[in-house]
């Protein structure tokens, strides 16, 4: 993937990580609140993630510093018809690991015997906003560090609606929270971090106290049936990327509406939402939905 050839209308490759853990016998996920000054999803709660950087695409370099060989990477991330070449799968995985540290101070990696760079120094740089752009390469080159690409599992594939000028082609990974680390926001791109159950997060979104991005809202709804992270393990081992989810944006004077690909009117040109029907078609937490209504800075789930 060559980032320099992309135009604003072409989706930029990106990666996101859905971090999960068990807490008190219940499933929790980690969410970060994007800065209100952000030009993409300002003020929304999202999963850690960001765009694939040029250094992330150096597959020949990274293959020596991950805990999966090329065949294992291909088997897990490219064999389901998800449209990823091996080099792109590696780049998305490296971006997922890098961005999770940059946004949430969590490193999916392990230190082997050796004199590798001390994580305390790295976290201090992170807290001060002084991480160099090449910090991840410097970390593995310092010796003793291996990135645990095996901690990542496929979950979903989202592409920003075509009507947006800034678009992202995002692979959503899932990973279990390592027990020896803690998450915290960077206080620049993200201003608040929270561990929360899917049901509590969705209820907070309905009240407007925890506004979720559309992919986060949809993903949390998908996680409702799972009692804990252990219940997700089989799904994480076998789940493919699936079809790319490209929501369709319908402008409206009463608030934009996103039609998700499984909405019966997704391809119809006759959708003209009115506030009366929007209010009437709102659904409660746990009920199926196929569209989202942007009302008072909150995306609310609807039926057709």
């Amino acid at each position: 993937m060559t980032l320099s050839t992309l135009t604003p209308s072409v989706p930029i490759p990106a990666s996101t990580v859905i971090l999960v853990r068990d807490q008190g016998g219940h499933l929790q996920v980690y969410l970060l609140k994007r800065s209100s000054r952000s030009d993409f999803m300002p003020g929304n709660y999202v999963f850690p993630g960001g765009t694939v950087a040029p250094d992330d695409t150096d597959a020949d370099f990274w293959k020596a510093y991950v805990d999966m060989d090329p065949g294992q990477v291909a088997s897990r991330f490219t064999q389901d018809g998800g449209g990823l070449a091996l080099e792109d799968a590696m780049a998305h995985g490296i971006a997922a690991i890098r961005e999770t540290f940059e946004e949430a101070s969590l490193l999916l990696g392990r230190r082997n015997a050796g004199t590798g760079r001390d994580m305390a120094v790295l976290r201090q740089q992170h807290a001060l906003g002084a991480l160099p752009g090449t910090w991840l390469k410097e970390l593995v080159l310092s010796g003793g560090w291996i990135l645990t690409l095996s901690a990542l599992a496929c979950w979903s594939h989202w592409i920003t609606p075509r009507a947006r000028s800034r678009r992202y082609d995002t692979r959503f990974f899932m990973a279990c929270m390592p027990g020896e680390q803690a998450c915290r926001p960077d206080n620049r791109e993200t201003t608040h971090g929270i561990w929360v159950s899917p049901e509590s997060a969705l209820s907070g979104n309905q009240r407007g106290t925890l506004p979720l991005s559309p992919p986060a809202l949809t993903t949390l709804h998908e996680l409702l049936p799972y009692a804990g992270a252990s219940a997700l393990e089989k799904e994480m081992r076998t789940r493919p990327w699936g079809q790319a989810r490209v929501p369709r944006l319908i402008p409206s004077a009463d608030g934009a509406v996103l039609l998700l690909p499984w909405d019966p009117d997704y391809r119809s040109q006759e959708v003209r939402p009115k506030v009366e029907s929007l209010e009437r078609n709102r659904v409660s937490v746990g009920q199926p939905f196929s569209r989202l209504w942007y009302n008072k800075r909150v995306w609310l789930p609807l039926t057709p």
Side-chain angles (χ1 to χ4, degrees):
M1 57 185 76
T2 306
L3 300 186
S4 62
T5 63
L6 298 175
T7 64
S9 62
V10 175
I12 299 170
S15 297
T16 285
V17 178
I18 308 157
L19 289 170
V20 299
R21 73 176 187 183
D22 286 320
Q23 186 73 12
H26 300 285
L27 178 69
Q28 289 188 331
V29 298
Y30 188 68
L31 295 171
L32 289 164
K33 185 177 184 180
R34 291 190 62 81
S35 167
S36 60
R37 298 188 298 274
S38 173
D39 52 7
F40 188 78
M41 296 291 179
N44 276 191
Y45 280 82
V46 300
F47 305 115
T51 58
V52 175
D55 269 355
D56 302 332
T57 67
D58 189 355
D60 286 339
F61 172 84
W62 291 112
K63 66 184 180 182
Y65 299 104
V66 297
D67 66 345
M68 300 175 75
D69 63 40
Q72 292 171 319
V73 174
S75 178
R76 180 172 298 192
F77 300 120
T78 72
Q79 297 300 316
D80 67 302
L84 276 183
L86 175 61
E87 294 79 7
D88 291 343
M90 181 75 80
H92 276 281
I94 297 300
I97 292 172
R98 178 182 52 74
E99 285 284 349
T100 299
F101 185 83
E102 291 177 1
E103 290 203 338
S105 194
L106 170 73
L107 181 67
L108 294 173
R110 66 170 186 262
R111 186 173 181 175
N112 294 332
T115 58
R117 188 177 180 188
D118 192 336
M119 279 298 297
V121 174
L122 200 61
R123 287 200 167 92
Q124 184 178 33
Q125 288 180 309
H126 176 266
L128 295 173
L131 274 179
T134 57
W135 72 268
L136 190 56
K137 274 194 171 181
E138 292 173 11
L139 176 71
V140 297
L141 286 170
S142 72
W145 283 99
I146 295 293
L147 304 182
T148 50
L149 203 60
S150 64
L152 298 172
C154 305
W155 188 261
S156 59
H157 178 196
W158 288 80
I159 301 177
T160 310
R162 294 179 178 87
R164 296 292 194 190
S165 59
R166 177 171 293 188
R167 302 181 65 209
Y168 298 95
D169 183 336
T170 308
R171 302 287 169 157
F172 279 65
F173 296 90
M174 182 172 284
C176 293
M177 177 67 185
E180 71 280 5
Q181 297 191 59
C183 292
R184 58 176 177 269
D186 65 7
N187 292 318
R188 288 173 294 279
E189 292 185 50
T190 59
T191 59
H192 180 237
I194 183 174
W195 283 101
V196 63
S197 71
E199 183 173 11
S200 294
L202 292 168
S203 296
N205 184 76
Q206 293 275 31
R207 295 191 301 270
T209 57
L210 204 156
L212 297 166
S213 71
L217 193 160
T218 305
T219 301
L220 291 166
H221 178 81
E222 293 172 334
L223 293 178
L224 286 174
Y226 297 94
S230 57
L232 272 167
E233 287 181 0
K234 182 178 180 181
E235 182 80 1
M236 290 171 66
R237 288 196 299 269
T238 60
R239 186 181 177 100
W241 294 117
Q243 290 288 328
R245 300 170 177 184
V246 190
R248 181 178 161 211
L249 184 65
I250 308 294
S252 168
D254 299 315
V257 173
L258 274 184
L259 300 186
L260 299 171
W262 50 91
D263 189 275
D265 295 324
Y266 181 73
R267 299 189 183 282
S268 172
Q269 300 304 311
E270 305 302 322
V271 182
R272 299 289 186 271
K274 298 295 182 183
V275 68
E276 296 82 6
S277 64
L278 293 170
E279 289 283 6
R280 184 173 60 250
N281 293 339
R282 286 182 58 178
V283 299
S284 302
V285 171
Q287 293 183 301
F289 58 89
S290 63
R291 53 185 66 180
L292 299 170
W293 173 33
Y294 193 61
N295 181 42
K296 299 177 181 177
R297 299 187 177 184
V298 175
W299 290 102
L300 299 171
L302 310 174
T303 55

